[in-house]
Amino acid sequence: MFDTMTMTKVLGGLCGTWLVYLLGAWAAESIYHSGGGHGDDHAQAYVIEVADAGGEAAAEEEAVDFSVIMASASAEEGEALWRNCRSCHALEPGKNGTGPTLHGIVNRAVGSVDGFGYSGALVAVAETWTPDNLNLFLEDPKGYAPGTAMGYNGMRKVEDRANLIAYLESVGG
């Protein structure tokens, strides 16, 4: 049943079908493609002038001292933000998860939890987990400590970071 002639016909049919498909795609591209002038050799037809919106200085937010924000932080609101951390970290002393325990993290030496294998990137950027260092790390972990193994994208609101740090400080003693 499967002799050489049958296999040749099947292979020829598949190649012929593929050829018809490619020719159809080429024909459709030449019929329906309208160009669009996306290359560098096409000039722009017109330019729309817009008024200056106040420059870059108005777009940037003024930097506020983190200690001022930290002074008004709420540990109760930080407890709700803890849900982002508890999948990898624990608050119990000596209990490590995917990440090290966060018990007593505020003002603790960086990379000092016994029995946890740190990546080494954190020790290069800070010596102690001060509230300021925690704020910078929680904002953008990979930007603050390139090479860190922490797979968290960061907490964008500075008030949320302050509340979380206040919560960690309140439960970590």
Side-chain angles (χ1 to χ4, degrees):
M1 180 168 171
F2 284 111
D3 58 352
T4 306
M5 185 56 111
T6 304
M7 293 306 290
T8 304
K9 289 178 186 178
V10 169
L11 185 62
L14 289 173
C15 290
T17 303
W18 181 246
L19 182 63
V20 169
Y21 170 75
L22 290 176
L23 289 174
W26 172 75
E29 178 69 21
S30 63
I31 292 171
Y32 295 111
H33 185 70
S34 62
H38 297 291
D40 292 334
D41 57 341
H42 298 288
Q44 186 171 347
Y46 56 89
V47 176
I48 300 174
E49 298 291 333
V50 295
D52 189 17
E56 294 177 19
E60 294 181 14
E61 294 181 18
E62 292 184 28
V64 179
D65 188 18
F66 183 69
S67 61
V68 174
I69 296 170
M70 190 66 196
S72 64
S74 166
E76 290 80 26
E77 291 181 25
E79 184 176 8
L81 296 167
W82 167 247
R83 73 183 181 285
N84 295 328
C85 310
R86 69 176 163 212
S87 61
C88 297
H89 297 279
L91 286 177
E92 295 81 23
K95 183 179 179 186
N96 295 324
T98 305
T101 180
L102 296 183
H103 182 268
I105 183 88
V106 181
N107 295 318
R108 180 174 75 195
V110 174
S112 63
V113 173
D114 291 331
F116 187 78
Y118 289 95
S119 62
L122 296 174
V123 179
V125 295
E127 293 179 13
T128 306
W129 282 123
T130 63
D132 288 327
N133 286 340
L134 283 168
N135 174 49
L136 294 171
F137 182 68
L138 290 172
E139 181 180 14
D140 183 14
K142 298 222 184 266
Y144 179 72
T148 184
M150 185 162 160
Y152 179 62
N153 289 330
M155 192 175 285
R156 301 295 169 235
K157 292 184 179 179
V158 68
E159 294 83 8
D160 289 347
R161 294 191 301 271
N163 291 336
L164 179 61
I165 294 168
Y167 173 70
L168 291 173
E169 192 170 30
S170 71
V171 297

